[in-house]
Amino acid sequence: MTKNKTTPLSEAAPEMQLAVDLILLLEQQELPAQLVLSALQIVQQDYQRKLALALSASP
C-alpha cells in the first residue's frame, strides 16, 4: 500500500495557491459551470494579451 504525500497549500507553488483561491471564490458564487468556463476564457485571453505586451516591451 502506498501513501500519498501531500504538500500543505502554503508550501505549494504560487500558481497552485492562486488556483485554489479562485476555485473557492467561484464555488462560493454558485454560478453555472458553463458561465464560469466562458468567463475564464475571457480572463485567459486578457492575460495572454497582457503577457504578450509585456514581453514585447522588455529589452
Side-chain angles (χ1 to χ4, degrees):
M1 183 168 151
T2 61
K3 290 185 178 181
N4 290 337
K5 186 174 182 181
T6 59
T7 302
L9 185 57
S10 62
E11 295 177 19
E15 60 270 21
M16 181 61 71
Q17 293 179 21
L18 178 58
V20 170
D21 288 344
L22 290 172
I23 290 168
L24 291 173
L25 177 67
L26 292 168
E27 286 180 349
Q28 289 173 353
Q29 299 302 312
E30 298 181 1
L31 299 167
Q34 188 57 53
L35 176 63
V36 171
L37 292 173
S38 295
L40 288 173
Q41 285 179 337
I42 295 167
V43 171
Q44 182 178 15
Q45 291 170 358
D46 183 61
Y47 272 87
Q48 286 174 331
R49 181 186 57 78
K50 288 176 183 178
L51 179 59
L53 287 172
L55 292 175
S56 67
S58 63

